[in-house]
């Protein structure tokens, strides 16, 4: 809000300092993006003939649209799982002593501290036909034939949810920590039970955290190339792998470029839906 | 809604609370509060006022003792079943809800239908003189206005007990006075049993029917404002409530109602044994308030030399150094011609009456 003259000084001062980063972005982000756009506007693989053919092809091809749809759906599912599991963790974090808080933070951060590849292979070990889950269920006599967990949508969602969990939990912890604990008490003393307090007070006030968490989780989940491909196997195709195949295997660079641009726009659309929702809800804007 | 909710009685029965960290915040407190009374809980920071309030509201389960509201022991009831209204020190208004939604919150929780809710909200906002602010958000209100909304919100559920935790601490002096009068007026109209936590002694004395003075988790005294101010039972109460001169001395002779004390400042005076019986020869601290000291012409009082004189509007405060080197403050009303006292003038001082000098056994 109202920028004081002093803070304007600070921003102009900061601009100069930001120059190296700006240059970096210009060179390694904006320039390649423009090149990608330029490439996608060619109808032939050689890149000689201008046109919107690649986009037309993607948007009229049921297979391509299917891949886009299942990728966006995957993101939604992972985000939902992270939200449902992450919220109670964040809520718990704000209500336990400092020792337990440290343990919770450590558990939440652990996925970030291990390599993606190691983490993903661990999931293959857990979810596989002879994996931990199937072995346990079989030895308990609950199932006769192993369940198919690996190379399924379910497996991918679970593995991604674990990886992206910190991106959801950390903003939620921050948001919940900002809520004045007296509000809980006030609500309760006014006769509201825990559910009413949760839905009328805690949930709306943690909305900024929910939106930040969902945006981060969503963006990370749909672009998680390694986990998607390893846990999903060859059986499920999502946008990053599709893109990779077109570019690397089929050498169809203009089409791959068009896929990237469309994917980028789709992600931007979803993210802006999140932020608009947030801005529409009260208690978000202002100071 | 013509019928005013009648306040119920509140009994705090031998309540002790020890926090898990080991801090003994409240120690064996007994309060017997009649329906419709205004009580002030007065004490310095950290003496356990908020803890006691939160125990009564049900946010903390006390380690020992009982809370009885009306005829019911409420210890097993959660806060939302106790019908206790509470105004928090920082108001704790719901920042994302409008003023009318804040006030209506408790009514909605009680399942009251929308039309009745709106009527009641309007009535309450008129009661606290904010009828035009219904659609604003809390952050668009001033501190005093937020305070009124918090009050209206607490009153909406027609509580049998109203608890206010340092409700005026954040307000400037004039606004504080307005709000004190306002709360007292509302309390008179509604007849709700009210407990106000404060560390401001003037607030306690001016607003409350009875004042409970706490220190280090213990109840020092529970009585009317004049009891607490004029007949303090402990040295702590005498020094914490109002200002006082502490003069050390030795008991010459004593019975139940009067004690002759030889002050170190060099005079024998008659004082009231305020904290129980005194033994002859024992050391005592005699407390005399500045306005209860007078200049005397004869040889009765103790001698001193006038230092600084501070004119404070309606009164003048003189600082006098006594024979034993300690300082004493004397406050004189400025009615007509008050005797002008020069710096360095030799004077003699004596208490206005024996009942106005309180003698407490000296603590080492
Ligand atoms: N949650 C807690 N855990 C441990 N000790 C606490 C807790 N809350 C308060 N205390 C301790 O209990 C004592 C009483 O605290 P309380 O908040 O009741 O004081 P208060 O009279 O309300 O003070 P103030 O006027 O500063 O608000 C203090 O010594 C405080 O340190
Ligand atoms: Mg307090």
């Amino acid at each position: 809000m109202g920028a004081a003259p002093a803070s304007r000084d600070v921003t102009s001062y900061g601009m100069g300092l930001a120059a190296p980063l700006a240059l970096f972005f210009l060179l390694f982000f904006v320039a390649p993006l423009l090149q990608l756009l330029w490439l996608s506007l060619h109808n032939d693989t050689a890149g000689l003939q201008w046109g919107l053919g690649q986009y037309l092809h993607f948007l009229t091809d049921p297979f391509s649209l299917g891949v886009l749809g299942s990728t966006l759906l995957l993101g939604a599912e992972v985000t939902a799982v992270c939200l449902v599991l992450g919220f109670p963790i964040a809520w718990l974090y704000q209500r336990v002593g400092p020792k337990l808080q440290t343990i919770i933070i450590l558990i939440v951060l652990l996925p970030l501290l291990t390599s993606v590849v190691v983490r993903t292979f661990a999931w293959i070990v857990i979810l596989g036909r002879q994996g931990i889950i199937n072995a346990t269920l079989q030895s308990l006599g609950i199932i006769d034939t192993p369940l198919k967990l690996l190379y399924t949508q379910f497996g991918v969602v679970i593995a991604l949810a674990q990886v992206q969990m910190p991106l959801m939990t950390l903003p939620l912890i921050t948001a919940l920590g900002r809520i004045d604990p007296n509000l809980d008490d006030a609500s309760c003393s006014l006769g509201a039970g825990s559910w009413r307090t949760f839905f009328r007070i805690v949930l709306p006030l943690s909305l900024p955290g929910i939106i930040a968490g969902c945006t981060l989780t969503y963006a990370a989940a749909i672009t998680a190339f390694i986990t998607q491909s390893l846990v999903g196997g060859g059986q499920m195709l999502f946008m990053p792998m599709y893109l990779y195949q077109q570019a690397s295997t089929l050498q169809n660079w203009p089409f791959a470029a068009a896929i990237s641009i469309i994917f980028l726009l789709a992600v931007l659309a979803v993210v802006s839906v999140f932020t608009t929702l947030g801005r529409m809800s009260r208690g978000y804007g202002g100071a | 809604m013509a019928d005013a909710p009648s306040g119920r009685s509140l009994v705090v029965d031998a309540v002790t609370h020890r926090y898990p960290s080991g801090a003994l915040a409240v120690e064996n407190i007994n309060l017997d509060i009649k329906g419709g009374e205004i009580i002030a809980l007065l004490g310095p920071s950290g003496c356990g006022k908020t803890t006691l309030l939160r125990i009564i509201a049900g946010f903390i389960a006390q380690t020992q003792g009982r809370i009885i509201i009306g005829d019911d022991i409420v210890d097993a009831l959660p806060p939302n079943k106790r019908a206790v209204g509470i105004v928090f020190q920082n108001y704790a208004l719901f920042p994302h809800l409008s003023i009318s939604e804040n006030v209506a919150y408790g009514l909605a929780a009680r399942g009251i239908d929308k039309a009745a809710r709106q009527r009641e909200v309007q009535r309450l906002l008129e009661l606290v003189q904010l009828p035009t602010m219904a659609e604003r958000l809390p952050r668009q209100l001033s501190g005093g206005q937020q305070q009124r909304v918090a009050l209206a919100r607490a009153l909406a559920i027609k509580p049998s007990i109203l608890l206010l935790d340092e409700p005026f601490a954040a307000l400037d002096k004039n606004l504080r006075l307005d709000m004190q009068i306002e709360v007292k007026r509302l309390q008179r109209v509604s007849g709700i049993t009210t407990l106000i936590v404060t560390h401001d002694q003037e607030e306690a004395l001016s607003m409350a029917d009875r004042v409970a003075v706490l220190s280090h988790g213990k109840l020092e005294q529970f009585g009317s404002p004049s009891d607490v101010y004029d007949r303090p039972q402990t040295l702590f109460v005498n020094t914490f409530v109002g200002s006082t001169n502490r003069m050390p001395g030795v008991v010459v002779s004593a019975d139940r109602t009067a004690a002759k004390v030889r002050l170190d400042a060099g005079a024998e005076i008659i004082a009231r044994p305020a904290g129980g019986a005194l033994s002859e020869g024992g050391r005592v601290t005699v407390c005399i308030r500045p306005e209860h000291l007078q200049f005397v012409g004869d040889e009765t009082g103790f001698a001193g030399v006038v230092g600084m004189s501070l004119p404070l509007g309606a009164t003048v405060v003189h600082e006098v150094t006594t024979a034993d080197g300690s300082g004493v403050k004397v406050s004189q009303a400025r009615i007509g011609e008050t005797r002008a006292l020069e710096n360095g003038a030799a004077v003699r001082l004596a208490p206005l009456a024996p009942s106005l000098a309180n003698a407490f056994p000296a603590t080492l």
Side-chain angles (χ1 to χ4, degrees):
Chain A
M1 297 263 287
S7 68
R8 198 175 300 140
D9 282 349
V10 172
T11 41
S12 61
Y13 179 58
M15 280 308 198
L17 285 179
L21 187 67
L23 197 70
F24 182 87
F25 263 105
L26 219 59
L27 269 178
F28 297 104
F29 183 72
V30 179
L33 204 62
L34 288 176
Q35 195 190 359
L36 214 59
L37 190 65
W38 180 83
L39 205 59
S40 73
L41 292 173
H42 289 89
N43 285 346
D44 60 327
T45 351
L48 299 169
Q49 190 190 348
W50 287 87
L52 288 171
Q54 307 295 356
Y55 291 94
L56 251 127
H57 174 215
F58 188 97
L59 295 172
T60 51
D61 173 26
F63 178 78
S64 300
L65 288 175
V67 174
L68 178 63
S70 62
T71 309
L72 297 181
L73 183 68
L74 177 76
E77 286 173 351
V78 173
T79 306
V81 170
C82 282
L83 185 58
V84 169
L85 297 180
F87 205 98
I89 296 175
W91 190 86
L92 199 68
Y93 177 87
Q94 297 298 349
R95 273 162 188 74
V96 297
K99 255 187 220 140
L100 271 176
Q101 283 190 334
T102 318
I103 296 176
I104 291 178
I105 278 291
L106 203 69
I107 294 175
V108 165
L109 286 181
L110 215 54
L112 287 184
L113 304 178
T114 43
S115 133
V116 202
V117 181
V118 173
R119 219 187 304 127
T120 306
F121 275 111
W123 275 110
I124 294 177
V125 172
I126 293 170
L127 297 173
R129 277 184 77 82
Q130 270 83 47
I132 296 171
I133 293 181
N134 274 323
T136 313
L137 290 177
Q138 271 178 312
S139 68
L140 289 175
I142 296 171
I143 52 166
D144 301 327
T145 48
L147 295 174
K148 188 167 163 49
L149 301 171
L150 202 58
Y151 311 134
T152 62
Q153 179 91 358
F154 171 82
V156 178
V157 170
I158 291 298
L160 278 175
Q162 186 235 354
V163 179
Q164 319 300 357
M165 193 61 88
L167 300 179
M168 180 63 88
T169 320
L170 294 179
L172 283 179
I173 284 177
T174 314
L176 286 175
R178 282 217 199 100
I179 302 177
D180 175 6
N182 280 337
L183 295 184
D184 253 31
D185 290 346
S187 166
C188 198
S189 76
L190 290 168
S194 338
W195 287 110
R196 177 181 287 270
T197 303
F198 180 78
F199 283 110
R200 294 277 285 148
I201 309 298
V202 179
L203 199 60
L205 287 177
S206 56
L207 217 53
I210 293 178
I211 287 159
C214 285
T215 312
L216 291 173
T217 313
Y218 191 88
I222 56 176
T223 52
F225 178 65
I226 295 175
T227 311
Q228 282 174 5
S229 352
L230 289 182
V231 182
Q235 332 229 342
M236 263 163 304
L237 192 57
F238 299 108
M239 290 295 270
M241 189 58 176
Y242 188 37
L243 179 48
Y244 176 76
Q245 285 173 351
Q246 292 300 325
S248 219
T249 320
L250 302 177
Q251 296 289 317
N252 191 351
W253 284 94
F255 188 52
I259 293 178
S260 334
I261 299 290
I262 289 170
F263 192 34
L264 185 69
L265 291 177
V267 175
L268 283 179
V270 172
V271 168
S272 54
V273 166
F274 279 134
T275 23
T276 319
L277 277 181
R279 223 170 281 131
M280 263 158 51
S281 65
R282 276 181 294 168
Y284 184 52
Chain B
M1 309 255 167
D3 58 318
S6 54
R8 299 171 78 193
S9 64
L10 169 66
V11 175
V12 175
D13 180 21
V15 166
T16 292
H17 186 72
R18 189 182 286 280
Y19 279 105
S21 65
L24 188 59
V26 167
E27 200 177 340
N28 190 29
I29 289 197
N30 289 287
L31 294 173
D32 197 336
I33 298 164
K34 294 192 279 287
E37 268 191 305
I38 300 193
I39 301 296
L41 274 182
L42 177 64
S45 189
C47 71
K49 305 180 297 286
T50 298
T51 306
L52 186 58
L53 211 67
R54 293 176 66 80
I55 290 171
I56 296 169
F59 299 131
I60 303 178
Q62 69 271 27
T63 35
Q64 269 168 49
R66 297 183 303 173
I67 300 293
I68 303 161
I69 297 177
D71 301 322
D72 310 319
I73 300 173
V74 296
D75 297 328
L77 293 181
N80 54 340
K81 299 275 155 54
R82 287 198 185 186
V84 169
I86 180 159
V87 174
F88 293 86
Q89 179 170 348
N90 64 356
Y91 316 139
L93 295 178
F94 304 128
H96 59 304
L97 300 181
S98 71
I99 297 312
S100 61
E101 286 169 327
N102 262 282
V103 177
Y105 190 86
L107 301 170
R110 257 143 235 251
I112 290 167
D113 71 80
K114 201 163 178 195
R117 223 151 64 201
Q118 276 171 347
R119 270 199 310 278
E120 184 63 4
V121 167
Q122 198 52 39
R123 187 187 74 84
L124 284 160
L125 287 181
E126 269 158 31
L127 193 69
V128 297
Q129 300 172 2
L130 292 173
T132 58
M133 308 275 173
E135 295 317 314
R136 296 210 195 166
L137 287 174
R139 64 168 169 269
Q140 297 166 325
L141 262 53
S142 74
Q145 292 168 336
Q146 291 186 24
Q147 163 86 67
R148 286 158 200 257
V149 175
L151 199 61
R153 186 179 70 174
L155 289 173
I157 59 167
K158 299 200 181 306
S160 45
I161 313 275
L162 182 62
L163 307 175
L164 305 152
D165 192 356
E166 312 224 8
F168 316 118
L171 307 180
D172 66 51
K173 203 170 171 187
N174 289 331
L175 194 54
R176 193 181 317 157
L177 200 63
D178 286 350
M179 284 306 297
Q180 287 169 350
I181 294 168
E182 182 92 6
V183 167
K184 189 132 181 166
R185 178 178 71 82
L186 287 173
Q187 199 273 343
R188 287 276 175 268
V189 174
S190 60
I192 299 176
T193 313
T194 304
L195 209 67
I196 299 181
V197 162
T198 176
H199 56 237
D200 175 354
Q201 35 134 338
E202 277 177 32
E203 184 170 294
L205 297 177
S206 66
M207 292 194 70
D209 298 323
R210 285 194 290 164
V211 179
V213 185
L214 298 182
S215 164
H216 292 111
K218 292 205 203 67
L219 185 62
E220 294 273 331
Q221 187 167 355
F222 184 33
S224 68
S226 58
D227 274 345
V228 169
Y229 192 79
D230 296 328
R231 289 172 292 282
Q233 285 168 359
T234 65
L235 183 59
F236 173 82
V237 174
N238 201 328
T239 47
F240 186 71
V241 182
S243 57
T244 197
N245 295 303
R246 297 167 61 150
M247 308 189 68
V250 180
V251 179
V252 176
S253 66
D255 61 25
R256 254 174 7 91
T257 56
K260 188 183 271 186
V261 176
R262 164 132 217 105
L263 296 176
D264 294 359
E268 267 181 19
I269 63 161
I270 308 292
R272 191 177 73 92
L278 297 174
S279 53
E280 263 168 47
R283 285 201 64 79
V284 286
T285 303
V286 178
C287 295
I288 310 171
R289 298 196 187 282
E291 68 270 27
H292 293 158
L293 276 175
Q294 61 180 343
F295 295 105
V296 287
D298 50 27
E299 295 295 297
T300 49
F302 52 87
V305 176
V306 176
M308 193 123 53
S309 290
L310 306 166
L312 299 174
T315 58
V316 189
V317 173
H318 307 285
E319 281 178 351
V320 176
T321 310
T322 57
D324 62 336
S326 57
V328 169
K329 286 196 174 67
V330 185
S331 153
Q332 265 191 317
R334 273 216 295 216
I335 332 162
E337 285 293 303
T338 36
R339 221 171 79 189
L341 285 171
E342 273 152 42
N343 205 333
V347 291
R348 295 193 80 81
L349 289 165
L352 283 168
S355 64
L356 296 175
N358 295 308
F360 301 93
T363 46
L364 296 174

